[in-house]
Amino acid sequence: MPIDQVVSSYIKLERAGSNLKARCPFHNEKTPSFIVSPSRNTYHCFGCNRGGDIFTFVEEIEGVDFKRALEILADRAGIPLPRMDPKLKSESERLYKILEDATEYFENNLENAKDALGYLKGRGLTDDTIEEWKLGYAKNEWRGLLEHLKSKKFTEAEIEKAGLIIKSEHKTASGGSAEARYYDRFRGRIMFPLRSAQGKVVGFSGRYFVDGNTETDSAKYINTPETPLYNKSRLLYGYDKAKQAIMHEDSTILVEGQMDLIMSHQAGVKNTVATSGTALTPEHLNALKRFSQNVVMAFDSDEAGFAASERGFNLALSLGMNVQIAKLPKGVDPADLINKDPSEWSRSIKEAKHIIDFYLDTLIEQGLDPRALKLEVSKRVIPYTALIRNRIDQAHFVGKIAGALNIIEEPIWDEIKKQGEKINEVLAEENIVKGKGREENIRDKILGLIYWQGEKKKEKRVIDIDKAKERYIDITGLKVEPSLEGKENLILQAEVYYRGTEHLEKELEDLFLHLEMIKLDGEFAQSMAEIRQAQTKKDEKKMEELVILCHKISKRINDIKGKLKE
């Protein structure tokens, strides 16, 4: 399967000559530096230095090992892999099978649970939607699922590892040592299968429902605990079905609950995903960013709902995402709104406002006196403005705030600067990958040109390879030969940047001049520091030598600047 076909199913690719480019799915960046080479069947990011072949990409983006990546690609290509003896199947394969059987068991239960089925239909779900999302029901029994799975030859230890049963310790009748007993984790609940990005069931979320009653003193929803297959920090409900729509619409609609999500998809808004009762994490947002920078958050519209969502707003802004808020009628969640009037849901999404506009308008509508308004804006709006990473976009909203408060911009910028500590705290959670420095980028471009030209026959080369190597070593003092993998990546970079360039010798000369100037700038700064030390020690001879040296360095820097202007 061609690598560009696989990669484009995860992120949006754009043509760049004979290659393709995109924003890297593995780190946050503004300018695309992720390159896919169909001819080499490889990819490489020149920002975070990740790269490899089609298998490496699937391993990285799906968080799986080579074997699982192979299975994913084989499945997509329609190539059957040799089936293994069940006794030899890996643990993960056994766990997936347990969850598949549990899904079927819950589905069969729902067909006979008239009250639960009636509840779902009363909320607006159609028979087709219920079947598509594989909704089910866990009977209000202690060991129903356990006995069913044991009849399928799964062990209690395996079923527990899949997160479906709980172990308790009981004293024996004679008062002896405790013996382990297991019981079903999900009892008396409508079941929503949780799926991985590939669409495989990895866990469940269960909504309390017993004898027609939806209210309980215990948790209304419970989810599968962390297992080898289920990681709540990475999984978004509906993500497997929403990926293509998110890419197509260039936007994600983020809701809280499973019913909100399913009803949104049923209403045709298929670029919707749900947090499913878990806190929004950087992993969630990075998964969404692979397809779009834009996110519309449609959470509970009351104060408590927004307070609970604040961390998610902060993370999304800090990741450079365009965050909008969909205003819903007070006390109405998306599922109920869609059930009542699907067009109203579409309108709410269409009229969503940027988070700064949303909060600013909300505060103005409250009719606060000027001083109270300024204080509330300082507390509620400026912190979000401080997290906007695009300086131009940030300046746009600073101007809006200043206009709304009828003040000059300077005090707002002062407040934003004070928020620096908060920004660092949020970014620390995000684990941003730092890009390479300017000097390293220039060195890589030079090496890429050397190796790219080195692949060509001598009569077709544009630059003198040996002379270029000597000059590189002379300026940097570094070896020329990188690792084989590094060499391939540098060649790919050179192809992207310089294929079709008419004056390649001039491009290389300019790179060498920039590299030399960086080295000279460092030498000049070091010499100036030594001058200050010599001045402190009153070493006039040393000072005189250093002044002459600084003059020579300065002259060479000016010469280079002149050549670069030519």
Side-chain angles (χ1 to χ4, degrees):
M1 183 178 291
I3 191 169
D4 52 317
Q5 184 179 332
V6 173
V7 174
S8 64
S9 68
Y10 293 93
I11 58 176
K12 189 182 293 185
L13 293 173
E14 297 176 1
R15 179 63 58 183
S18 60
N19 299 299
L20 299 151
K21 67 179 180 178
R23 288 190 179 90
C24 180
F26 306 121
H27 82 286
N28 184 49
E29 63 177 2
K30 296 177 182 177
T31 304
S33 60
F34 182 87
I35 303 298
V36 175
S37 172
S39 62
R40 295 177 180 275
N41 214 32
T42 61
Y43 72 94
H44 185 74
C45 175
F46 297 106
C48 66
N49 210 34
R50 295 193 187 191
D53 58 18
I54 190 171
F55 298 102
T56 311
F57 179 80
V58 174
E59 287 176 57
E60 288 271 5
I61 204 162
E62 297 287 5
V64 297
D65 58 16
F66 175 79
K67 183 179 179 183
R68 180 68 190 124
L70 179 62
E71 291 172 349
I72 292 169
L73 290 169
D75 183 61
R76 293 182 60 165
I79 302 171
L81 293 176
R83 296 190 66 81
M84 297 175 64
D85 187 292
K87 294 179 181 179
L88 301 176
K89 285 186 176 180
S90 68
E91 177 187 89
S92 63
E93 289 172 317
R94 294 278 291 174
L95 295 181
Y96 278 123
K97 187 65 174 71
I98 288 171
L99 293 164
E100 286 173 12
D101 286 355
T103 302
E104 185 178 348
Y105 173 80
F106 292 138
E107 280 188 282
N108 290 335
N109 286 348
L110 182 62
E111 292 178 7
N112 301 311
K114 292 183 179 179
D115 285 348
L117 201 54
Y119 167 79
L120 291 172
K121 291 183 177 180
R123 294 293 305 273
L125 299 186
T126 65
D127 287 330
D128 288 344
T129 296
I130 291 170
E131 182 179 352
E132 179 188 355
W133 291 86
K134 304 289 183 184
L135 303 189
Y137 184 71
K139 297 178 183 178
N140 194 25
E141 301 173 346
W142 286 98
R143 295 168 62 85
L145 176 62
L146 172 59
E147 295 302 329
H148 172 76
L149 292 174
K150 284 175 69 175
S151 73
K152 299 278 189 179
K153 308 302 181 186
F154 295 112
T155 67
E156 291 176 333
E158 289 176 322
I159 302 168
E160 181 186 20
K161 188 163 280 188
L164 295 175
I165 58 176
I166 299 172
K167 180 167 65 174
S168 65
E169 303 290 340
H170 288 270
K171 291 284 186 179
T172 61
S174 61
S177 59
E179 62 177 357
R181 288 187 180 179
Y182 291 91
Y183 60 91
D184 292 351
R185 179 180 297 276
F186 299 99
R187 304 181 308 282
R189 292 181 179 273
I190 294 171
M191 301 299 290
F192 299 83
L194 305 175
R195 298 179 180 275
S196 67
Q198 301 83 46
K200 282 187 170 289
V201 177
V202 294
F204 295 91
S205 181
R207 199 237 190 268
Y208 181 83
F209 190 93
V210 176
D211 297 328
N213 184 18
T214 59
E215 299 302 319
T216 175
D217 293 333
S218 60
K220 184 180 288 187
Y221 281 92
I222 60 172
N223 287 358
T224 296
E226 295 280 319
T227 72
L229 302 183
Y230 173 61
N231 182 329
K232 66 181 181 181
S233 296
R234 294 179 179 273
L235 187 139
L236 285 164
Y237 187 59
Y239 180 70
D240 59 307
K241 295 180 182 294
K243 290 184 296 184
Q244 294 300 321
I246 292 171
M247 184 186 298
H248 182 265
E249 299 293 333
D250 191 21
S251 175
T252 301
I253 314 301
L254 190 61
V255 296
E256 288 182 284
Q258 291 92 332
M259 287 297 298
D260 300 328
L261 177 285
I262 296 174
M263 286 295 289
S264 185
H265 277 249
Q266 183 176 287
V269 185
K270 297 183 181 294
N271 57 324
T272 309
V273 297
T275 54
S276 190
T278 63
L280 198 61
T281 67
E283 289 85 355
H284 291 148
L285 291 167
N286 276 316
L288 297 177
K289 277 190 65 183
R290 292 169 188 162
F291 301 100
S292 176
Q293 297 279 111
N294 304 307
V295 59
V296 177
M297 298 192 177
F299 295 158
D300 289 347
S301 58
D302 56 15
E303 283 293 322
F306 282 117
S309 306
E310 183 177 2
R311 180 174 177 272
F313 298 156
N314 288 339
L315 284 173
L317 287 168
S318 70
L319 280 164
M321 300 183 79
N322 179 42
V323 182
Q324 294 180 298
I325 307 293
K327 189 173 184 179
L328 305 180
K330 197 165 186 177
V332 178
D333 62 27
D336 291 335
L337 180 63
I338 296 166
N339 192 21
K340 181 181 178 181
D341 185 359
S343 65
E344 185 68 13
W345 170 243
S346 298
R347 186 191 63 78
S348 297
I349 297 303
K350 187 176 181 180
E351 295 179 1
K353 295 180 179 179
H354 189 280
I355 187 171
I356 304 300
D357 289 323
F358 179 86
Y359 272 107
L360 198 57
D361 291 348
T362 300
L363 291 173
I364 291 172
E365 288 170 6
Q366 291 177 8
L368 302 171
D369 66 67
R371 181 173 179 274
L373 179 60
K374 289 181 176 71
L375 291 174
E376 283 299 304
V377 168
S378 178
K379 183 172 72 174
R380 304 286 297 279
V381 181
I382 290 180
Y384 289 131
T385 311
L387 285 167
I388 296 173
R389 299 180 65 186
N390 184 297
R391 186 72 171 176
I392 295 174
D393 201 27
Q394 189 181 59
H396 166 77
F397 286 111
V398 167
K400 273 199 165 187
I401 295 168
L405 300 181
N406 196 26
I407 62 174
I408 60 175
E409 293 185 6
E410 279 72 15
I412 301 171
W413 284 113
D414 289 342
E415 284 298 311
I416 286 174
K417 289 176 183 176
K418 291 178 184 177
Q419 295 292 329
E421 188 175 327
K422 178 180 178 180
I423 294 171
N424 291 334
E425 288 174 4
V426 175
L427 296 183
E429 298 180 62
E430 173 200 341
N431 190 26
I432 295 176
V433 180
K434 292 183 178 179
K436 295 180 180 180
R438 181 166 175 260
E439 181 180 356
E440 189 175 357
N441 275 318
I442 293 173
R443 291 204 309 265
D444 282 354
K445 285 184 177 181
I446 292 172
L447 288 174
L449 280 171
I450 290 172
Y451 291 117
W452 178 41
Q453 289 287 296
E455 283 191 334
K456 300 178 182 294
K457 293 180 179 180
K458 281 191 175 183
E459 60 272 16
K460 292 187 177 181
R461 291 177 187 171
V462 179
I463 63 175
D464 187 325
I465 300 296
D466 293 332
K467 186 177 178 181
K469 285 183 180 180
E470 288 177 8
R471 190 169 179 187
Y472 178 86
I473 295 170
D474 182 56
I475 294 174
T476 66
L478 300 173
K479 292 181 179 179
V480 174
E481 294 293 337
S483 66
L484 181 61
E485 179 183 357
K487 184 175 180 179
E488 285 295 313
N489 292 334
L490 294 175
I491 291 171
L492 175 58
Q493 181 185 33
E495 284 183 335
V496 171
Y497 284 126
Y498 298 110
R499 182 182 292 278
T501 301
E502 294 183 3
H503 304 290
L504 203 58
E505 309 99 311
K506 179 66 168 64
E507 294 282 355
L508 181 61
E509 174 64 20
D510 285 353
L511 287 171
F512 275 125
L513 290 174
H514 280 294
L515 191 61
E516 185 181 353
M517 191 156 63
I518 290 171
K519 179 184 177 183
L520 291 170
D521 283 339
E523 291 177 358
F524 187 84
Q526 178 63 34
S527 297
M528 289 299 294
E530 290 180 11
I531 286 174
R532 286 192 290 271
Q533 291 177 357
Q535 191 174 22
T536 302
K537 295 177 181 179
K538 297 182 179 180
D539 188 342
E540 294 184 5
K541 184 178 180 182
K542 182 68 172 177
M543 282 178 60
E544 186 178 344
E545 292 173 355
L546 289 167
V547 167
I548 293 171
L549 177 59
C550 283
H551 178 71
K552 287 182 179 179
I553 294 172
S554 180
K555 186 175 183 302
R556 176 55 184 161
I557 289 174
N558 287 329
D559 289 343
I560 291 174
K561 287 180 179 178
K563 289 182 179 179
L564 288 171
K565 288 179 181 179
E566 292 176 359

